[in-house]
């Protein structure tokens, strides 16, 4: 599934990539690279709520992930939660 999601992303089929990442994460919610992939795709769509959720899950798995933390700060600045 991860290869499929990556292929869809490379072909700019971002909504399909998003759907496939959700399928993958339903089967393997502890997969940090899938959460990162979902965050990347949803930031490009853009789908701020889904991106935020992906980054929060990634940070729960990898609290020291500075790249994910910075991306979440930027996301919250551009799309404040609850708006």
């Amino acid at each position: 599934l991860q290869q499929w999601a990556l292929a869809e992303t490379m072909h700019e089929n971002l909504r399909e990539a998003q759907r496939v990442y959700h399928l993958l994460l339903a089967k393997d919610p502890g997969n940090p690279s899938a959460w990162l992939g979902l965050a990347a795709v949803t930031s490009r769509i853009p789908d701020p709520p889904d991106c935020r959720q992906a980054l929060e899950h990634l940070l729960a798995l990898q609290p020291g992930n500075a790249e994910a933390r910075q991306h979440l700060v930027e996301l919250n600045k551009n799309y404040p939660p609850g708006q």
Side-chain angles (χ1 to χ4, degrees), residues 5-80:
L6 288 170
E8 294 295 348
T9 303
M10 290 176 59
H11 287 97
E12 297 294 319
N13 298 326
L14 302 180
R15 286 287 182 189
E16 182 63 10
Q18 180 183 28
R19 187 184 75 77
V20 175
Y21 275 118
H22 279 288
L23 290 173
L24 172 59
L25 288 162
K27 293 180 181 238
D28 185 8
N31 184 333
S33 63
W35 287 114
L36 180 61
L38 179 60
V41 164
T42 54
S43 71
R44 290 174 58 198
I45 289 174
D47 185 340
D50 203 17
C51 184
R52 184 175 291 109
Q53 182 182 28
L55 290 166
E56 289 171 350
H57 279 280
L58 177 57
L59 287 167
L61 294 171
Q62 297 179 336
N65 188 321
E67 181 182 348
R69 189 160 308 284
Q70 180 59 36
H71 192 69
L72 184 59
V73 167
E74 290 174 21
L75 178 71
N76 287 335
K77 181 176 140 190
N78 295 325
Y79 302 96

